Amino acid sequence: MHFVEVILPLSLAKTFTYRISEAEYHYIKIGMRLAVPFGKSKIYTALVIEIHQNKPALYEAKEIEQILDERPIVTEIQIAHWQWIASYYMCAIGDVYRCAIPSALLLESETVISQKTDLIVDTSQLSDDEFLVYEALQQQSSLKVQDIMSILNKKNIFPVIQKLIDKNILVLQEEIQETYKPKLVRYVRLHPKYESNEGLSELLETLKSANKQKEIVLNYFQLSAVEKKPITVKKLVEAANSSSAIVKALIEKEIFEDYLLQEDRVNFTGKMREDQLQLSSAQQKAFDEIKESFNQKEVCLLHGVTSSGKTEIYIKLIEEYLKTGKQILYLLPEIALTTQLVGRLRTYFGNKVAVFHSKYNNNERIEVWNQVLINSDKSQVVIGARSSLFLPFYNLGFIIVDEEHEQTFKQVDPAPRYHARDAAIVLAHSHKAKVLLGSATPSIETYFNAQSDKFGLVEISERYGNVQMPKIELVDLKDKYFRKKMTGHFSDVLIEEINLALSLGEQVILFQNRRGYSPVIECLTCGHVPQCQQCDVSLTYHKHKNQLRCHYCGFTMAKPSHCHSCSSVDLTTKGFGTEQIEQELVSIFPNSKIGRMDQDTTRGKFGFEKIIDSFKNREMDILVGTQMLAKGLDFDNVSLVGIMNADNMLYHPDFRAFERSFQMLTQVSGRAGRSEKQGKVVIQTYNPNHNTIQQVTNNDYLGMYKEQLYDRQIYKYPPYFRIIKLTMKQRDFNKLKEGSMWLYQVISQNLNMPVLGPEEPAISRIRNEYIRTIIIKIPQNTSIVNTKKTIQKMLNSFEAVAQYRAIKVTSNVDFY
């Protein structure tokens, strides 16, 4: 007997065993996909992780349905890495598999049957049962297997369906269909008989009277002289300013031939730059130190102030690793950053750069997946957001994690709740590759690792080209409001600075970390604030759509004209978001072009590119945005950055609030004055003497680091303690309260370490589910593996209690 062990793309921690024939046993390899039956009637795409001859003891192994791949599409290193992620981040291996693979490669079936389109059916050829199914499909577009059973009133309906499929009348959606189709492009070339000189004169003679056709042929010659590559029909039509019908006529006359070529959807033309990149002396010193550090350590931290030219150092290092023929992964926290950086890297590495992130569609993602798998030239350097960590690298040599402090590297929902930076270090270890972490404001954990000699540390303290750090001015909002020197949310100082920058033809970035128009609408008569019906939050007002919106579950309602509680019409808005700042700018600076970059304006696939490009091309004077703006973007004409309110981050109920505020404010400030002239930053705050804000003003990273480290040690937080957060959700408030208390008592009795909870988080109900959290703090000297095993056992016993089974528990390890 022969068996395969597979992972299913479901939230299941176990692997499953299926039976295979001897021929399949010799054909199947680890990393191939199989279609397997699971449950009563469903089929899923499973991944082979082992081939063996051990019969399962607890169940009868089913047979597989079909083999989907001719060769493995997942490498063994990947499978081992996924298993590490599943065990370290306490989630099911099925969750990791589903998250890692492009969804077009995961075909599953809620069996749906539909009729083939554009089909003429001779109903006299159908049996009674077949006719009943066919007739039902005239009424509705698709049926489930269950529906057909009830129509025919019998259990064994598969023969009927099979006959209809054989007659080519039905299609099973469930028939695992490969949804990926290569993109074909039409090219034209001259018919071989006209290649010679005599042929050409004959050709021009033929076309003497057909002017439009002659025009196209002449354009064809011009294009082929300029470009030494095949010419597409589309390009030819555009160049001749003609129509494809005329090209078609030329093909029919056998003057042109057309042919199709498979083309990659994401194609970058660009040559390798011949001229070498020149590093400044500070960059060169850092470059040499990094290479030196890689001799002893696998991971190195590059701590360089904003605009110190870290990207050039990365490019130099990539060049070095490309010479060795290895693959390079360049991780970025934000898609907006990817779009800007891709352009820069292409000018150096041309077509060797591939991009992988969630704004690309399925087909494009599969193309990159396949290229990485075969170690193609087109994907020697992969740039992407955190999901690109899961690509099937064959020969990985170097990983760059840029802006490593960013919280977007940590996946919050759904599982696996992994941290891309930490998972990248583990992945590099299994490939024997090196990792470079880059940041102007490293996270405290990373800097702590560098200080305690676990990572290498290289620092650059000057900006590229000796440009000065921006001058930071604090504006005390209390004082300005008191002296009536505010226009809307702008202080007189900020308005003056914006005017100055605009008069010099420079650009301005304004930062406000809230989208929408205002976060609260309040009734002035009774104080009522419209709340979301399903979550514990007030609704945010979006003015351009004239609606109130919940940023947690997406619930929307039209803006009320009177109070829902007391019917008063005196409603006012409290607080402000990017939309309101944009509107105020329009009235204060009516002649300036103003853009906005937040989640609402970057919805489409190229949403980021459009805004970034138009700002870079100076089509906008002022750009207002949320934290998307804070990350590594490079605009050389920005001389002023305004931070509308520095306080709303400082007072977050989170132990990282001060660290995050410091990082965010320093990063946003770093967008100013990146070319010759010194930039200016205006920070509006109610609390100008706050330690963190003073540290930002003096660019004092070490001061912030030491102060935070002191607090973390006292209050038992990372890097001295590891944190695991358990979140429980349930619609029934009392059941949740009781269940979370039970779990807390069991955990605190069995673990000899601080366990806090069960706590109601700041937002204690989302989508009608109440929430409770328990936080477990694991000291540095305790084995984290054994602690997790103990926690897992307790979670399993919690699940075994019948009345608590409906409570969903999720674990978040290294909860950042």
Side-chain angles (χ1 to χ4, degrees):
M1 298 282 274
H2 300 88
F3 298 96
V4 285
E5 203 64 31
V6 301
I7 318 171
L8 289 169
L10 301 166
S11 191
L12 300 166
K14 294 205 292 281
T15 56
F16 293 86
T17 312
Y18 284 85
R19 198 165 73 241
I20 49 174
S21 68
E22 185 158 351
E24 288 168 334
Y25 177 76
H26 294 299
Y27 180 77
I28 292 175
K29 294 186 177 58
I30 290 174
M32 283 184 174
R33 293 171 309 145
L34 310 175
V36 298
F38 185 73
K40 281 187 181 152
S41 59
K42 294 205 179 122
I43 290 179
Y44 288 101
T45 307
L47 184 76
V48 179
I49 58 162
E50 197 190 334
I51 302 159
H52 57 78
Q53 296 182 327
N54 313 329
K55 195 174 177 185
L58 297 173
Y59 54 89
E60 186 63 38
K62 292 181 180 175
E63 283 187 8
I64 66 168
E65 292 265 332
Q66 68 191 86
I67 302 171
L68 297 176
D69 296 311
E70 288 170 16
R71 57 191 178 84
I73 62 155
V74 171
T75 66
E76 297 199 25
I77 289 186
Q78 268 180 298
I79 294 172
H81 187 235
W82 295 357
Q83 283 166 328
W84 174 83
I85 287 180
S87 79
Y88 185 85
Y89 291 105
M90 294 176 76
C91 63
I93 184 74
D95 285 329
V96 186
Y97 170 44
R98 194 176 55 212
C99 162
I101 276 203
S103 55
L105 295 173
L106 281 186
L107 308 147
E108 52 191 61
S109 66
E110 296 286 353
T111 316
V112 176
I113 291 158
S114 50
Q115 182 189 343
K116 275 222 164 141
T117 45
D118 319 326
L119 204 70
I120 297 145
V121 178
D122 180 2
T123 47
S124 60
Q125 299 295 313
L126 302 180
S127 70
D128 292 352
D129 281 351
E130 289 166 11
F131 182 71
L132 283 171
V133 175
Y134 171 74
E135 197 179 38
L137 278 168
Q138 305 309 305
Q139 314 304 315
Q140 58 195 83
S141 59
S142 61
L143 297 168
K144 290 208 167 135
V145 169
Q146 221 53 44
D147 306 334
I148 296 180
M149 284 183 180
S150 51
I151 291 167
L152 300 180
N153 201 4
K154 56 179 173 189
K155 272 270 164 59
N156 189 9
I157 58 155
F158 285 105
V160 180
I161 296 175
Q162 196 51 56
K163 277 185 192 136
L164 283 165
I165 290 170
D166 295 343
K167 290 179 181 168
N168 216 3
I169 294 170
L170 292 192
V171 277
L172 282 195
Q173 235 79 35
E174 175 189 21
E175 280 194 321
I176 301 221
Q177 318 156 346
E178 282 294 348
T179 46
Y180 169 65
K181 291 189 181 65
K183 179 181 173 190
L184 294 173
V185 178
R186 269 178 81 212
Y187 288 87
V188 285
R189 58 184 163 219
L190 202 57
H191 200 283
K193 64 184 179 199
Y194 295 117
E195 299 264 298
S196 63
N197 286 341
E198 300 82 66
L200 287 179
S201 47
E202 186 193 326
L203 170 62
L204 295 171
E205 189 61 33
T206 327
L207 293 174
K208 210 162 44 186
S209 53
N211 280 336
K212 285 188 172 171
Q213 293 182 5
K214 193 157 109 190
E215 182 72 13
I216 281 205
V217 174
L218 291 172
N219 267 290
Y220 172 82
F221 287 129
Q222 274 175 340
L223 281 173
S224 52
V226 176
E227 300 184 17
K228 300 280 181 261
K229 59 179 193 194
I231 293 163
T232 64
V233 173
K234 186 175 173 212
K235 197 163 194 176
L236 184 57
V237 169
E238 278 171 7
N241 212 350
S242 179
S243 75
S244 50
I246 297 169
V247 177
K248 195 174 169 205
L250 283 164
I251 292 168
E252 281 165 5
K253 277 189 179 174
E254 290 199 339
I255 290 170
F256 278 159
E257 293 181 327
D258 64 341
Y259 58 104
L260 294 168
L261 283 183
Q262 184 173 330
E263 186 174 275
D264 289 334
R265 286 176 168 74
V266 189
N267 215 346
F268 307 123
T269 45
K271 308 195 287 290
M272 298 272 287
R273 284 267 285 262
E274 303 309 322
D275 52 322
Q276 283 300 306
L277 184 68
Q278 287 301 311
L279 296 183
S280 68
S281 55
Q283 285 174 321
Q284 188 63 48
K285 181 170 169 278
F287 175 73
D288 297 335
E289 284 175 13
I290 290 167
K291 283 173 66 177
E292 182 59 39
S293 146
F294 280 155
N295 292 335
Q296 280 97 38
K297 298 192 170 69
E298 289 192 348
V299 184
C300 177
L301 167 64
L302 172 59
H303 176 206
V305 295
T306 51
S307 190
S308 57
K310 293 187 283 292
T311 312
E312 282 81 8
I313 298 175
Y314 300 155
I315 289 173
K316 267 298 204 212
L317 284 160
I318 291 173
E319 272 175 13
E320 299 260 314
Y321 279 96
L322 277 179
K323 286 175 196 157
T324 62
K326 291 193 176 289
Q327 291 171 309
I328 292 124
L329 172 61
Y330 193 142
L331 282 175
L332 287 157
E334 188 73 68
I335 297 172
L337 255 182
T338 321
T339 45
Q340 201 186 26
L341 193 96
V342 168
R344 284 174 78 175
L345 284 197
R346 281 215 198 102
T347 47
Y348 289 100
F349 305 116
N351 217 356
K352 292 190 170 182
V353 180
V355 185
F356 191 84
H357 58 61
S358 59
K359 281 266 160 88
Y360 278 139
N361 66 30
N362 262 320
N363 289 341
E364 291 163 338
R365 284 200 244 176
I366 290 178
E367 254 156 36
V368 175
W369 183 280
N370 292 337
Q371 283 169 5
V372 172
L373 187 62
I374 59 173
N375 199 6
S376 139
D377 269 358
K378 288 184 178 162
S379 61
Q380 292 235 264
V381 182
V382 177
I383 306 183
R386 58 174 184 250
S387 55
S388 53
L389 193 69
F390 292 117
L391 286 165
F393 292 103
Y394 182 79
N395 185 9
L396 189 61
F398 183 43
I399 300 180
I400 297 169
V401 185
D402 198 8
E403 309 294 344
E404 65 80 31
H405 63 278
E406 278 298 341
Q407 63 206 61
T408 36
F409 277 130
K410 172 81 171 160
Q411 177 150 315
V412 184
D413 270 317
R417 295 174 178 80
Y418 67 101
H419 196 297
R421 176 195 62 215
D422 303 347
I425 293 172
V426 174
L427 179 67
H429 182 73
S430 41
H431 277 279
K432 300 192 172 37
K434 302 290 183 195
V435 182
L436 180 62
L437 308 175
S439 173
T441 51
S443 67
I444 284 180
E445 290 75 16
T446 302
Y447 203 73
F448 182 78
N449 281 334
Q451 293 286 13
S452 49
D453 221 30
K454 196 171 162 190
F455 297 170
L457 174 63
V458 175
E459 310 206 59
I460 312 179
S461 53
E462 61 181 64
R463 287 186 133 186
Y464 182 71
N466 280 336
V467 177
Q468 290 174 293
M469 293 297 283
K471 184 166 169 255
I472 297 180
E473 184 174 343
L474 296 180
V475 173
D476 184 346
L477 286 174
K478 277 198 308 286
D479 182 59
K480 292 291 178 193
Y481 273 111
F482 183 68
R483 294 173 190 279
K484 305 225 170 2
K485 288 191 173 173
M486 297 291 290
T487 309
H489 293 97
F490 291 82
S491 59
D492 54 350
V493 177
L494 185 53
I495 291 180
E496 209 172 292
E497 290 293 344
I498 295 175
N499 270 322
L500 178 64
L502 294 177
S503 66
L504 294 170
E506 292 160 347
Q507 289 168 296
V508 180
I509 284 180
L510 294 176
F511 172 75
Q512 168 58 12
N513 211 5
R514 272 240 170 89
R515 62 193 172 101
Y517 183 82
S518 89
V520 173
I521 282 194
E522 187 182 41
C523 167
L524 289 173
T525 314
C526 70
H528 172 75
V529 173
Q531 298 278 333
C532 173
Q533 298 172 355
Q534 313 175 47
C535 309
D536 234 347
V537 288
S538 59
L539 295 169
T540 303
Y541 173 40
H542 284 249
K543 193 165 186 174
H544 72 289
K545 288 192 170 166
N546 202 31
Q547 57 177 214
L548 300 183
R549 187 178 205 114
C550 171
H551 285 181
Y552 283 84
C553 68
F555 166 81
T556 55
M557 63 192 261
K559 184 195 175 206
S561 52
H562 54 267
C563 171
H564 290 162
S565 176
C566 70
S567 300
S568 153
V569 289
D570 284 337
L571 300 178
T572 180
T573 60
K574 287 268 175 79
F576 61 103
T578 45
E579 219 180 283
Q580 191 166 344
I581 297 300
E582 184 186 26
Q583 285 215 327
E584 287 180 6
L585 282 169
V586 171
S587 59
I588 304 174
F589 303 103
N591 303 325
S592 302
K593 287 212 165 57
I594 293 149
R596 172 161 64 94
M597 181 159 136
D598 55 30
Q599 243 183 318
D600 302 317
T601 60
T602 51
R603 290 273 185 228
K605 177 173 177 181
F606 297 111
F608 293 109
E609 273 126 345
K610 284 179 196 145
I611 294 172
I612 289 173
D613 287 347
S614 60
F615 191 63
K616 202 163 180 62
N617 300 338
R618 311 191 181 181
E619 290 161 27
M620 295 177 196
D621 305 311
I622 306 175
L623 182 60
V624 184
T626 55
Q627 87 277 355
M628 290 176 180
L629 285 176
K631 302 174 186 172
L633 292 171
D634 183 33
F635 302 114
D636 50 8
N637 191 36
V638 172
S639 63
L640 173 69
V641 166
I643 292 166
M644 300 306 298
N645 183 346
D647 305 329
N648 55 4
M649 291 191 55
L650 282 173
Y651 303 115
H652 250 263
D654 171 14
F655 71 92
R656 279 202 166 72
F658 292 167
E659 177 193 353
R660 292 256 164 91
S661 302
F662 177 88
Q663 288 166 341
M664 183 75 85
L665 296 172
T666 305
Q667 291 285 349
V668 179
S669 309
R671 301 310 113 218
R674 294 174 74 94
S675 48
E676 300 78 56
K677 192 181 154 201
Q678 182 182 17
K680 178 96 190 253
V681 180
V682 175
I683 299 181
Q684 301 193 143
T685 167
Y686 285 99
N687 205 344
N689 296 324
H690 193 289
N691 263 0
T692 306
I693 288 183
Q694 286 297 325
Q695 286 154 358
V696 172
T697 312
N698 304 322
N699 196 26
D700 180 13
Y701 175 81
L702 267 176
M704 184 278 301
Y705 170 73
K706 286 178 178 149
E707 184 189 342
Q708 291 308 309
L709 218 51
Y710 176 74
D711 282 357
R712 301 273 178 99
Q713 196 158 11
I714 296 175
Y715 298 114
K716 300 189 169 70
Y717 280 116
Y720 300 104
F721 282 74
R722 284 276 180 65
I723 292 190
I724 295 179
K725 176 173 149 192
L726 303 177
T727 307
M728 287 140 291
K729 294 181 180 176
Q730 158 71 321
R731 283 169 171 251
D732 181 332
F733 180 80
N734 292 327
K735 193 172 272 184
L736 176 72
K737 193 174 161 189
E738 193 184 309
S740 55
M741 200 62 213
W742 185 94
L743 185 60
Y744 164 73
Q745 282 165 343
V746 173
I747 292 177
S748 51
Q749 281 158 14
N750 285 293
L751 290 180
N752 184 22
M753 56 188 72
V755 180
L756 310 177
E759 189 56 59
E760 276 190 44
I763 293 164
S764 60
R765 181 175 62 109
I766 294 178
R767 291 194 177 89
N768 275 333
E769 291 185 312
Y770 292 97
I771 305 171
R772 284 272 199 282
T773 57
I774 292 174
I775 285 181
I776 302 157
K777 297 180 174 179
I778 308 170
Q780 254 179 338
N781 53 7
T782 312
S783 155
I784 187 157
V785 177
N786 294 340
T787 309
K788 279 188 203 154
K789 280 185 184 155
T790 314
I791 295 171
Q792 197 56 58
K793 273 185 198 156
M794 292 183 275
L795 291 176
N796 294 346
S797 57
F798 178 70
E799 225 169 80
V801 180
Q803 75 249 41
Y804 302 145
R805 196 159 295 150
I807 299 178
K808 287 195 292 242
V809 184
T810 55
S811 325
N812 194 341
V813 179
D814 287 345
F815 150 63
Y816 288 136

